[in-house]
Amino acid sequence: MSVKITTGTPAVAAWLDGMVRSLANHSDRLDAINIFPVADGDTGSNLYMTARTAADAVSVLDTDDLGELLAAAGRAGMESARGNSGTLLAVFLLGFSEPLRGHSRLTGRLLAAGLESGRVRAWSALSDPVPGTMLSVIAAAGDAAADAVGRSAAEPSSRAAVVEVLQAVSVAVLGAVVSTEEQLGALRTARIVDAGAVGMMLVLDELRASVLGEPLDDARYAPLHGYGIQDPHVYVGREAEAGVEVMCTIALEPLEAATLRAKLDALGDSVIMSAAGEAGDAYRWRVHVHVPEPDEALAALHGAGEPVNITVTDLCTHDG
Protein backbone atom coordinates (compact mmCIF):
# COMPACT_ATOMS: atom_id res chain seq x y z
CA MET A 1 0.00 0.00 0.00
CA SER A 2 1.42 3.35 -1.04
CA VAL A 3 0.04 6.02 1.27
CA LYS A 4 1.49 9.19 2.67
CA ILE A 5 0.56 8.92 6.34
CA THR A 6 0.59 11.97 8.60
CA THR A 7 -0.02 11.36 12.30
CA GLY A 8 0.94 14.65 13.98
CA THR A 9 -0.96 17.87 14.57
CA PRO A 10 -0.90 18.78 10.83
CA ALA A 11 -3.09 15.73 10.22
CA VAL A 12 -5.56 16.80 12.91
CA ALA A 13 -5.64 20.37 11.59
CA ALA A 14 -6.18 18.98 8.09
CA TRP A 15 -8.98 16.80 9.47
CA LEU A 16 -10.80 19.81 10.89
CA ASP A 17 -10.38 21.75 7.65
CA GLY A 18 -11.49 18.76 5.57
CA MET A 19 -14.48 18.29 7.87
CA VAL A 20 -15.58 21.85 7.19
CA ARG A 21 -15.10 21.48 3.44
CA SER A 22 -17.02 18.21 3.18
CA LEU A 23 -19.87 19.32 5.43
CA ALA A 24 -20.20 22.50 3.35
CA ASN A 25 -20.32 20.46 0.15
CA HIS A 26 -22.87 18.00 1.56
CA SER A 27 -24.97 20.32 3.75
CA ASP A 28 -27.85 20.71 1.26
CA ARG A 29 -28.26 16.95 0.91
CA LEU A 30 -28.03 16.42 4.67
CA ASP A 31 -30.67 19.12 5.22
CA ALA A 32 -32.90 17.46 2.61
CA ILE A 33 -33.12 14.17 4.54
CA ASN A 34 -33.24 15.63 8.06
CA ILE A 35 -36.46 14.34 9.65
CA PHE A 36 -35.24 13.07 13.05
CA PRO A 37 -35.57 14.06 15.87
CA VAL A 38 -37.57 16.86 14.23
CA ALA A 39 -38.06 17.57 10.55
CA ASP A 40 -36.48 21.02 10.57
CA GLY A 41 -34.10 20.53 7.65
CA ASP A 42 -30.97 21.96 9.25
CA THR A 43 -28.70 19.05 10.22
CA GLY A 44 -26.20 19.75 7.44
CA SER A 45 -26.15 23.47 8.15
CA ASN A 46 -25.76 22.92 11.89
CA LEU A 47 -22.90 20.47 11.46
CA TYR A 48 -21.13 22.76 9.00
CA MET A 49 -21.42 25.89 11.14
CA THR A 50 -20.25 24.06 14.27
CA ALA A 51 -17.32 22.45 12.45
CA ARG A 52 -16.31 25.78 10.95
CA THR A 53 -16.19 27.42 14.38
CA ALA A 54 -14.13 24.51 15.71
CA ALA A 55 -11.63 24.70 12.84
CA ASP A 56 -11.34 28.49 13.04
CA ALA A 57 -10.48 28.25 16.74
CA VAL A 58 -7.33 26.22 16.09
CA SER A 59 -6.19 27.93 12.90
CA VAL A 60 -3.76 30.16 14.85
CA LEU A 61 -3.00 27.70 17.66
CA ASP A 62 0.67 26.71 17.84
CA THR A 63 1.01 23.36 19.58
CA ASP A 64 2.27 19.84 18.97
CA ASP A 65 -0.17 18.40 21.50
CA LEU A 66 -2.94 16.55 19.68
CA GLY A 67 -5.24 16.64 22.69
CA GLU A 68 -4.76 20.37 23.23
CA LEU A 69 -5.57 21.06 19.59
CA LEU A 70 -8.73 18.97 19.56
CA ALA A 71 -9.88 20.23 22.96
CA ALA A 72 -9.65 23.83 21.71
CA ALA A 73 -11.69 22.87 18.67
CA GLY A 74 -14.27 21.05 20.77
CA ARG A 75 -14.65 23.89 23.27
CA ALA A 76 -15.11 26.46 20.52
CA GLY A 77 -17.61 24.24 18.75
CA MET A 78 -19.49 23.65 21.98
CA GLU A 79 -19.85 27.35 22.80
CA SER A 80 -21.52 28.07 19.46
CA ALA A 81 -22.93 24.64 18.60
CA ARG A 82 -26.00 24.55 16.39
CA GLY A 83 -28.80 22.07 17.05
CA ASN A 84 -28.63 18.46 18.18
CA SER A 85 -26.13 17.46 15.53
CA GLY A 86 -23.74 20.36 16.04
CA THR A 87 -23.81 19.92 19.81
CA LEU A 88 -23.05 16.21 19.55
CA LEU A 89 -20.22 16.86 17.09
CA ALA A 90 -18.61 19.29 19.54
CA VAL A 91 -19.12 16.85 22.43
CA PHE A 92 -17.52 14.09 20.36
CA LEU A 93 -14.48 16.25 19.57
CA LEU A 94 -14.02 17.08 23.24
CA GLY A 95 -14.26 13.43 24.18
CA PHE A 96 -11.88 12.42 21.39
CA SER A 97 -9.32 14.92 22.67
CA GLU A 98 -9.03 13.51 26.18
CA PRO A 99 -6.83 10.40 25.59
CA LEU A 100 -4.71 12.38 23.11
CA ARG A 101 -3.47 14.94 25.64
CA GLY A 102 0.30 14.93 25.92
CA HIS A 103 0.76 13.06 22.63
CA SER A 104 2.26 14.50 19.46
CA ARG A 105 1.27 11.78 17.00
CA LEU A 106 -1.57 9.36 16.47
CA THR A 107 -1.22 5.62 16.92
CA GLY A 108 -3.77 2.89 16.38
CA ARG A 109 -4.32 2.60 20.13
CA LEU A 110 -4.75 6.36 20.54
CA LEU A 111 -7.28 6.44 17.71
CA ALA A 112 -9.25 3.65 19.34
CA ALA A 113 -9.05 5.37 22.75
CA GLY A 114 -10.14 8.69 21.27
CA LEU A 115 -13.11 7.15 19.48
CA GLU A 116 -14.19 5.32 22.63
CA SER A 117 -13.90 8.48 24.71
CA GLY A 118 -15.88 10.40 22.09
CA ARG A 119 -18.54 7.69 22.20
CA VAL A 120 -18.84 7.86 25.97
CA ARG A 121 -19.12 11.66 26.01
CA ALA A 122 -21.67 11.78 23.19
CA TRP A 123 -23.94 9.04 24.52
CA SER A 124 -23.83 10.35 28.10
CA ALA A 125 -24.63 13.91 27.01
CA LEU A 126 -28.14 12.88 25.98
CA SER A 127 -30.88 12.17 28.51
CA ASP A 128 -32.48 9.72 26.08
CA PRO A 129 -29.92 8.49 23.52
CA VAL A 130 -31.52 6.92 20.45
CA PRO A 131 -29.90 4.29 18.20
CA GLY A 132 -30.21 4.81 14.45
CA THR A 133 -28.62 8.25 14.63
CA MET A 134 -25.12 9.70 14.58
CA LEU A 135 -24.67 8.03 17.97
CA SER A 136 -24.80 4.64 16.26
CA VAL A 137 -22.08 5.68 13.84
CA ILE A 138 -19.87 6.87 16.71
CA ALA A 139 -20.45 3.58 18.55
CA ALA A 140 -19.69 1.50 15.43
CA ALA A 141 -16.46 3.41 14.90
CA GLY A 142 -15.38 2.85 18.49
CA ASP A 143 -16.16 -0.86 18.37
CA ALA A 144 -14.39 -1.36 15.04
CA ALA A 145 -11.29 0.52 16.21
CA ALA A 146 -11.05 -1.49 19.44
CA ASP A 147 -11.49 -4.74 17.52
CA ALA A 148 -8.82 -3.76 14.99
CA VAL A 149 -6.34 -2.96 17.76
CA GLY A 150 -7.08 -6.26 19.46
CA ARG A 151 -6.60 -8.26 16.26
CA SER A 152 -3.63 -6.36 14.83
CA ALA A 153 -0.32 -8.09 14.35
CA ALA A 154 1.36 -4.76 13.61
CA GLU A 155 3.62 -3.03 16.11
CA PRO A 156 1.23 -0.84 18.21
CA SER A 157 3.02 2.46 17.50
CA SER A 158 3.55 1.74 13.80
CA ARG A 159 1.85 3.50 10.93
CA ALA A 160 0.55 0.13 9.75
CA ALA A 161 -1.50 -0.09 12.94
CA VAL A 162 -3.01 3.35 12.23
CA VAL A 163 -4.00 2.22 8.74
CA GLU A 164 -5.63 -0.94 10.08
CA VAL A 165 -7.75 1.02 12.53
CA LEU A 166 -8.82 3.58 9.95
CA GLN A 167 -9.75 0.90 7.42
CA ALA A 168 -11.82 -0.97 10.00
CA VAL A 169 -13.61 2.23 11.02
CA SER A 170 -14.34 3.07 7.38
CA VAL A 171 -16.13 -0.23 6.82
CA ALA A 172 -18.03 -0.06 10.12
CA VAL A 173 -19.39 3.46 9.76
CA LEU A 174 -20.82 2.78 6.30
CA GLY A 175 -22.65 -0.25 7.66
CA ALA A 176 -23.94 1.77 10.61
CA VAL A 177 -25.31 4.50 8.33
CA VAL A 178 -27.08 2.00 6.08
CA SER A 179 -28.63 0.35 9.16
CA THR A 180 -30.22 3.59 10.41
CA GLU A 181 -33.00 3.27 7.87
CA GLU A 182 -34.27 0.15 9.65
CA GLN A 183 -33.65 1.38 13.19
CA LEU A 184 -36.03 4.34 13.17
CA GLY A 185 -39.63 4.11 11.98
CA ALA A 186 -39.66 7.61 10.49
CA LEU A 187 -36.63 6.82 8.35
CA ARG A 188 -38.05 3.48 7.24
CA THR A 189 -41.30 5.16 6.16
CA ALA A 190 -39.45 7.87 4.24
CA ARG A 191 -36.96 5.32 2.81
CA ILE A 192 -33.93 7.37 3.78
CA VAL A 193 -30.90 7.08 6.04
CA ASP A 194 -30.39 9.39 9.00
CA ALA A 195 -28.94 12.81 8.18
CA GLY A 196 -26.85 13.08 11.34
CA ALA A 197 -25.45 9.61 10.76
CA VAL A 198 -24.31 10.56 7.26
CA GLY A 199 -22.79 13.75 8.67
CA MET A 200 -20.82 11.74 11.23
CA MET A 201 -19.68 9.39 8.47
CA LEU A 202 -18.34 12.42 6.60
CA VAL A 203 -16.48 13.53 9.73
CA LEU A 204 -14.84 10.13 10.22
CA ASP A 205 -14.14 9.66 6.50
CA GLU A 206 -12.32 12.99 6.57
CA LEU A 207 -10.22 11.73 9.49
CA ARG A 208 -9.13 8.77 7.39
CA ALA A 209 -8.50 10.95 4.33
CA SER A 210 -6.42 13.46 6.29
CA VAL A 211 -4.21 10.87 7.98
CA LEU A 212 -3.68 8.81 4.81
CA GLY A 213 -3.29 11.84 2.53
CA GLU A 214 -6.09 10.67 0.27
CA PRO A 215 -9.14 12.52 -1.12
CA LEU A 216 -12.58 11.76 0.28
CA ASP A 217 -14.32 9.00 -1.68
CA ASP A 218 -17.64 10.61 -2.65
CA ALA A 219 -18.72 7.39 -4.37
CA ARG A 220 -19.37 5.91 -0.91
CA TYR A 221 -22.35 8.23 -0.48
CA ALA A 222 -24.15 7.77 -3.79
CA PRO A 223 -25.88 4.47 -2.86
CA LEU A 224 -27.25 5.74 0.47
CA HIS A 225 -31.05 5.82 0.32
CA GLY A 226 -32.35 9.33 -0.22
CA TYR A 227 -28.93 10.86 -0.61
CA GLY A 228 -29.28 11.67 -4.30
CA ILE A 229 -32.30 13.84 -3.61
CA GLN A 230 -31.90 17.47 -4.61
CA ASP A 231 -35.05 18.80 -2.97
CA PRO A 232 -36.55 17.86 0.41
CA HIS A 233 -39.47 15.78 -0.89
CA VAL A 234 -39.64 13.99 2.45
CA TYR A 235 -41.37 17.06 3.90
CA VAL A 236 -44.32 16.91 1.50
CA GLY A 237 -47.49 16.21 3.49
CA ARG A 238 -45.59 16.19 6.78
CA GLU A 239 -47.08 18.21 9.61
CA ALA A 240 -45.03 21.20 10.71
CA GLU A 241 -43.04 20.63 13.89
CA ALA A 242 -44.30 22.63 16.85
CA GLY A 243 -42.15 24.08 19.60
CA VAL A 244 -38.77 25.69 19.99
CA GLU A 245 -35.15 24.75 20.52
CA VAL A 246 -33.51 26.43 23.51
CA MET A 247 -29.73 26.47 23.85
CA CYS A 248 -27.32 28.20 26.21
CA THR A 249 -24.10 27.88 28.20
CA ILE A 250 -24.28 27.86 31.99
CA ALA A 251 -21.79 27.37 34.86
CA LEU A 252 -22.99 24.74 37.34
CA GLU A 253 -21.63 22.24 39.81
CA PRO A 254 -22.34 18.59 38.88
CA LEU A 255 -25.27 18.21 41.30
CA GLU A 256 -26.81 21.45 40.05
CA ALA A 257 -26.38 20.23 36.48
CA ALA A 258 -28.13 16.95 37.31
CA THR A 259 -31.02 18.86 38.87
CA LEU A 260 -31.34 21.11 35.83
CA ARG A 261 -31.28 18.11 33.49
CA ALA A 262 -34.14 16.50 35.41
CA LYS A 263 -36.21 19.68 35.15
CA LEU A 264 -35.57 19.98 31.41
CA ASP A 265 -36.40 16.29 30.91
CA ALA A 266 -39.78 16.98 32.50
CA LEU A 267 -40.40 20.03 30.29
CA GLY A 268 -39.34 18.74 26.88
CA ASP A 269 -37.16 16.32 24.97
CA SER A 270 -33.90 16.10 23.00
CA VAL A 271 -32.10 17.21 26.17
CA ILE A 272 -28.33 17.43 25.74
CA MET A 273 -26.00 18.58 28.52
CA SER A 274 -22.23 18.26 28.38
CA ALA A 275 -19.42 20.00 30.22
CA ALA A 276 -17.47 22.32 27.95
CA GLY A 277 -14.77 23.24 30.47
CA GLU A 278 -14.09 24.27 34.04
CA ALA A 279 -15.41 27.48 35.61
CA GLY A 280 -13.83 27.79 39.06
CA ASP A 281 -15.36 25.10 41.25
CA ALA A 282 -18.04 24.44 38.65
CA TYR A 283 -18.17 23.50 34.96
CA ARG A 284 -19.42 25.33 31.91
CA TRP A 285 -22.26 23.25 30.48
CA ARG A 286 -23.68 23.49 27.00
CA VAL A 287 -27.42 22.93 27.21
CA HIS A 288 -29.89 21.99 24.46
CA VAL A 289 -33.60 21.15 24.74
CA HIS A 290 -36.76 21.07 22.60
CA VAL A 291 -39.84 22.40 24.39
CA PRO A 292 -43.39 23.39 23.34
CA GLU A 293 -42.90 26.92 24.72
CA PRO A 294 -39.69 28.60 25.89
CA ASP A 295 -40.85 30.32 29.07
CA GLU A 296 -40.64 27.42 31.53
CA ALA A 297 -37.31 26.22 30.13
CA LEU A 298 -35.85 29.71 30.39
CA ALA A 299 -37.19 30.01 33.94
CA ALA A 300 -35.50 26.70 34.83
CA LEU A 301 -32.21 27.90 33.35
CA HIS A 302 -32.30 31.23 35.17
CA GLY A 303 -33.32 29.45 38.37
CA ALA A 304 -30.27 27.21 38.11
CA GLY A 305 -27.67 29.89 37.44
CA GLU A 306 -26.71 32.60 34.97
CA PRO A 307 -27.12 31.27 31.42
CA VAL A 308 -25.31 33.05 28.58
CA ASN A 309 -25.38 32.72 24.78
CA ILE A 310 -29.09 31.91 24.97
CA THR A 311 -30.80 31.12 21.67
CA VAL A 312 -34.47 30.28 21.08
CA THR A 313 -35.24 28.92 17.62
CA ASP A 314 -38.56 27.80 16.15
CA LEU A 315 -38.51 24.14 15.19
CA CYS A 316 -41.00 24.81 12.41
CA THR A 317 -38.97 25.83 9.38
CA HIS A 318 -40.89 23.93 6.69
CA ASP A 319 -44.43 24.57 5.53
CA GLY A 320 -44.93 21.18 3.88
Side-chain angles (χ1 to χ4, degrees), residues 242-295:
V244 296
E245 172 188 79
V246 178
M247 298 187 69
C248 74
T249 301
I250 187 169
L252 299 171
E253 294 181 0
L255 182 57
E256 294 171 328
T259 301
L260 174 60
R261 183 193 286 270
K263 289 181 179 178
L264 295 179
D265 283 338
L267 293 174
D269 53 31
S270 294
V271 177
I272 305 176
M273 286 185 63
S274 186
E278 295 183 0
D281 294 331
Y283 294 90
R284 289 173 60 80
W285 298 83
R286 189 63 177 169
V287 180
H288 170 282
V289 62
H290 292 170
V291 288
E293 299 289 341
D295 292 348

Side-chain angles (χ1 to χ4, degrees), residues 3 38 54 57 86 91 140 167 170-172 175 224 244 247 273:
V3 291
V38 291
V91 171
Q167 301 290 38
S170 178
V171 173
L224 299 177
V244 296
M247 298 187 69
M273 286 185 63

Side-chain angles (χ1 to χ4, degrees), residues 232-247:
H233 83 290
V234 293
Y235 297 104
V236 175
R238 184 177 293 274
E239 290 186 9
E241 299 289 343
V244 296
E245 172 188 79
V246 178
M247 298 187 69

Side-chain angles (χ1 to χ4, degrees), residues 36-85:
F36 185 88
V38 291
D40 49 1
D42 61 2
T43 287
S45 304
N46 288 340
L47 283 169
Y48 163 67
M49 293 299 293
T50 304
R52 191 179 73 177
T53 301
D56 287 347
V58 303
S59 61
V60 295
L61 190 61
D62 183 18
T63 180
D64 291 327
D65 189 314
L66 297 169
E68 182 182 353
L69 192 74
L70 270 180
R75 285 194 300 270
M78 186 87 82
E79 290 292 344
S80 60
R82 307 290 185 93
N84 292 58
S85 56

Side-chain angles (χ1 to χ4, degrees), residues 9-205:
T9 51
V12 174
W15 174 31
L16 295 170
D17 288 338
M19 190 189 307
V20 173
R21 184 172 56 251
S22 285
L23 289 171
N25 291 338
H26 288 253
S27 62
D28 287 348
R29 281 175 285 179
L30 293 174
D31 287 346
I33 60 171
N34 169 209
I35 62 172
F36 185 88
V38 291
D40 49 1
D42 61 2
T43 287
S45 304
N46 288 340
L47 283 169
Y48 163 67
M49 293 299 293
T50 304
R52 191 179 73 177
T53 301
D56 287 347
V58 303
S59 61
V60 295
L61 190 61
D62 183 18
T63 180
D64 291 327
D65 189 314
L66 297 169
E68 182 182 353
L69 192 74
L70 270 180
R75 285 194 300 270
M78 186 87 82
E79 290 292 344
S80 60
R82 307 290 185 93
N84 292 58
S85 56
T87 303
L88 286 174
L89 173 59
V91 171
F92 170 77
L93 291 176
L94 271 176
F96 197 106
S97 75
E98 290 170 359
L100 274 56
R101 284 192 175 275
H103 296 276
S104 60
R105 69 182 188 89
L106 289 170
T107 64
R109 291 189 185 280
L110 277 179
L111 276 171
L115 288 167
E116 177 60 21
S117 180
R119 181 239 290 267
V120 170
R121 284 290 296 266
W123 279 78
S124 62
L126 280 152
S127 291
D128 186 22
V130 178
T133 62
M134 62 193 296
L135 292 176
S136 294
V137 175
I138 294 171
D143 287 342
D147 185 64
V149 168
R151 292 173 178 269
S152 178
E155 200 279 320
S157 63
S158 69
R159 294 186 175 188
V162 173
V163 173
E164 288 179 356
V165 170
L166 290 172
Q167 301 290 38
V169 168
S170 178
V171 173
V173 298
L174 177 57
V177 170
V178 171
S179 295
T180 62
E181 184 176 348
E182 296 302 320
Q183 290 177 283
L184 291 171
L187 302 179
R188 185 164 52 249
T189 299
R191 299 190 301 278
I192 57 176
V193 293
D194 181 65
V198 181
M200 198 65 218
M201 177 176 163
L202 281 163
V203 168
L204 294 171
D205 279 357

